[in-house]
Amino acid sequence: MKEKNSIYKYLTTKEVKKIKEFVKGKETPFLIVNPKKVEENYDNLHSLMPFAKIYYAVKANPMDEIVKLLEKKGSNFDVASIYEIDQCLRLGIPPERLSYGNPIKKVEHIAYAYKKGIRLYATDSWEDVQEIAKHAPGSKVLFRIILEGGNADWPLSRKFGAHPDMIYQLILKASKMNIIPYGLSFHVGSQQRDIGSWDNAISFCKYLFDALKQHKIKLKAINLGGGFPTRYVHSTHPLETYTKYVTRFLQEDFPTDFPEILIEPGRSMVGNCGVMVTQIVMISRKSSLDRNKWVYLDAGKFNGLIETIDESIKYPIFWEKAKKTDRNTEKVILAGPTCDSMDIMYEKYQYKFPKGMKEGDKMFILSTGAYTLSYCSVYFNGFPPMKAYILK
Ligand SMILES: *Cc1c(COP(=O)(O)O)cnc(C)c1O
């Protein structure tokens, strides 16, 4: 029987052993990424949605090794900036496999992307549509619809997309310009655990496909964005449940003319592939009567754990010396090493650890493969960005 709250709920005994071996003698904090798991995630998604073209969202974990590995597997890439475009091209990925998915783009960056061969763009505004038509003529454009995304653990939606009525008008105008209104896109919010969000989004797509057909505009594709969850403290359905329902929603709304499907996994592709290793800098209390024990780690909001803002993402965290048989636990507040009072990871949600933790002990923060490395500050308080290693 596996202990309810133990590292072995997430990793195999072999994996834990390998990681503990790897950690020896290395200065913390750092991230270890297991490429085998990335491959597994890719294969799993590909087999569950064989009809979908996968565009890995590079921003989730932009390590060259990961991008290269996914390229070999046949993945395409969702890039957010010309810098990610340059990275992919440098790694030998042809521009036809890139989608410039950020609706917020400088004019010069659109021109640069076009010059480099990028012919697929996402947009959500008339301003951007005009710039794409001017600086990336003849390109395919996906129009992003806005969604509430309210119940995602890391909502992304409010900033991006436009109301379906506005998208409708945009596409009508775009159809008279020198670009191809290719389809629609959306993002249900990252770490979206609610399957119903996709149902809602796909119905909007169906409505727009039909409405535009009346004007002889035939949209071809739907980009389902990201949002599939990875495994943190709070449980989610397994990936196959999400893909099964999403497939069903698509089939119900598009029974005859099934559109080309794109999907842009970030978190679900790399989240469970990383383990952050940190050290306890100090353990203290604020007064003699303080019932709260503060545990300060050498990793915090500014070097890897920014998604703990509002305690949004709750990573599984384990003490290196924890044993399966530990019974005597205590609650603690977890904070980072910088001089910024925002650098507290978890205060409302108190993690429980076995008693006996000491300064210098290591802590393993699991499921940190996504949105950690790419979110590190550069020398805030002098702390360098976290190092990252590929587990061989
Ligand atoms: C961030 C992002 C993704 C990845 O989302 P996840 O929730 O990490 O899977 C996909 N598409 C776009 C346009 C994004 O901005």
Side-chain angles (χ1 to χ4, degrees):
M1 250 283 284
K2 294 212 163 141
E3 198 60 31
K4 193 163 153 272
N5 193 25
S6 108
I7 196 167
Y8 299 100
K9 186 176 149 189
Y10 297 87
L11 300 172
T12 63
T13 314
K14 217 171 130 193
E15 284 169 332
V16 174
K17 213 173 144 206
K18 201 167 169 185
I19 285 166
K20 285 190 174 171
E21 199 52 46
F22 188 87
V23 161
K24 282 187 188 155
K26 291 196 177 66
E27 196 190 348
T28 59
F30 57 87
L31 177 73
I32 311 172
V33 179
N34 186 345
K36 287 207 183 67
K37 286 201 167 182
V38 182
E39 280 195 58
E40 265 171 40
N41 288 343
Y42 183 89
D43 291 340
N44 193 24
L45 180 64
H46 183 57
S47 71
L48 290 167
M49 295 181 93
F51 54 86
K53 225 171 146 180
I54 298 177
Y55 283 76
Y56 170 61
V58 173
K59 71 174 191 283
N61 184 323
M63 288 170 80
D64 279 356
E65 295 90 336
I66 302 299
V67 173
K68 197 72 202 150
L69 175 160
L70 287 168
E71 190 254 340
K72 287 216 185 82
K73 297 240 89 174
S75 184
N76 303 280
F77 299 88
D78 168 53
V79 290
S81 68
I82 57 167
Y83 311 102
E84 284 184 352
I85 290 174
D86 281 345
Q87 179 194 2
C88 289
L89 297 178
R90 169 173 59 77
L91 294 173
I93 301 167
E96 305 83 65
R97 283 169 70 177
L98 307 183
S99 160
Y100 198 164
N102 191 344
I104 320 287
K105 305 178 274 298
K106 285 184 184 172
V107 177
E108 309 86 73
H109 290 188
I110 297 172
Y112 182 86
Y114 184 76
K115 197 177 87 194
K116 295 286 176 176
I118 313 297
R119 296 292 181 270
L120 181 59
Y121 297 80
T123 194
D124 65 1
S125 69
W126 173 232
E127 290 70 17
D128 191 51
V129 167
Q130 288 169 289
E131 302 298 1
I132 297 173
K134 196 157 147 200
H135 299 283
S139 294
K140 293 177 180 171
V141 179
L142 297 170
F143 293 78
R144 180 152 167 185
I145 51 179
I146 197 163
L147 299 168
E148 292 296 325
N151 37 15
D153 289 349
W154 191 258
L156 290 167
S157 310
R158 206 168 58 83
K159 178 171 167 191
F160 300 109
H163 190 276
D165 291 342
M166 181 176 245
I167 292 296
Y168 172 77
Q169 295 298 340
L170 269 181
I171 295 177
L172 285 183
K173 285 202 235 173
S175 69
K176 300 191 174 66
M177 302 165 84
N178 190 14
I179 45 177
I180 304 162
Y182 198 65
L184 302 173
S185 70
F186 59 79
H187 196 302
V188 293
S190 201
Q191 189 68 7
Q192 176 59 270
R193 291 180 283 147
D194 173 17
I195 299 178
S197 306
W198 280 273
D199 194 9
N200 180 35
I202 292 166
S203 324
F204 277 130
C205 293
K206 155 82 175 157
Y207 160 81
L208 282 166
F209 267 62
D210 286 349
L212 286 156
K213 231 183 254 166
Q214 315 273 324
H215 294 271
K216 306 235 170 346
I217 299 171
K218 190 163 167 13
L219 297 180
K220 294 211 173 54
I222 299 178
N223 180 345
L224 304 172
F228 286 151
T230 190
R231 194 164 179 211
Y232 297 120
V233 165
H234 292 304
S235 64
T236 68
H237 300 289
L239 183 69
E240 47 268 38
T241 308
Y242 290 92
T243 55
K244 188 176 92 188
Y245 277 91
V246 169
T247 305
R248 183 183 300 170
F249 300 146
L250 284 167
Q251 284 166 344
E252 280 168 4
D253 280 336
F254 298 91
T256 51
D257 218 355
F258 201 75
E260 186 183 320
I261 298 296
L262 290 70
I263 191 160
E264 301 171 327
R267 195 183 297 279
S268 63
M269 189 68 85
V270 291
N272 67 346
C273 310
V275 175
M276 254 176 88
V277 184
T278 89
Q279 205 178 31
I280 301 175
V281 179
M282 191 173 78
I283 303 176
S284 68
R285 289 180 201 270
K286 301 285 173 202
S287 75
S288 53
L289 291 175
D290 194 353
R291 293 170 61 194
N292 290 317
K293 201 166 185 175
W294 288 69
V295 174
Y296 299 90
L297 303 179
D298 62 4
K301 276 216 166 77
F302 301 96
N303 47 351
L305 301 173
I306 192 81
E307 286 197 323
T308 61
I309 284 183
D310 296 332
E311 309 195 8
S312 304
I313 298 294
K314 294 180 185 71
Y315 298 102
I317 305 179
F318 300 100
W319 176 39
E320 60 168 336
K321 292 172 186 158
K323 294 199 182 60
K324 289 184 193 180
T325 49
D326 284 325
R327 288 285 173 273
N328 207 355
T329 59
E330 63 184 340
K331 290 183 179 170
V332 307
I333 295 172
L334 284 172
T338 68
C339 298
D340 190 309
S341 60
M342 214 188 86
D343 197 7
I344 299 170
M345 283 82 81
Y346 302 106
E347 190 172 10
K348 281 199 283 305
Y349 183 85
Q350 295 198 332
Y351 278 75
K352 264 193 210 161
F353 296 107
K355 286 192 173 167
M357 293 199 312
K358 293 217 166 37
E359 284 154 26
D361 287 353
K362 290 193 176 67
M363 305 289 285
F364 298 115
I365 310 184
L366 271 48
S367 297
T368 38
Y371 304 117
T372 50
L373 196 60
S374 48
Y375 259 146
C376 283
S377 73
V378 177
Y379 297 108
F380 178 55
N381 278 214
F383 291 110
M386 175 168 68
K387 282 195 280 298
Y389 300 100
I390 295 285
L391 193 64
K392 293 274 155 55

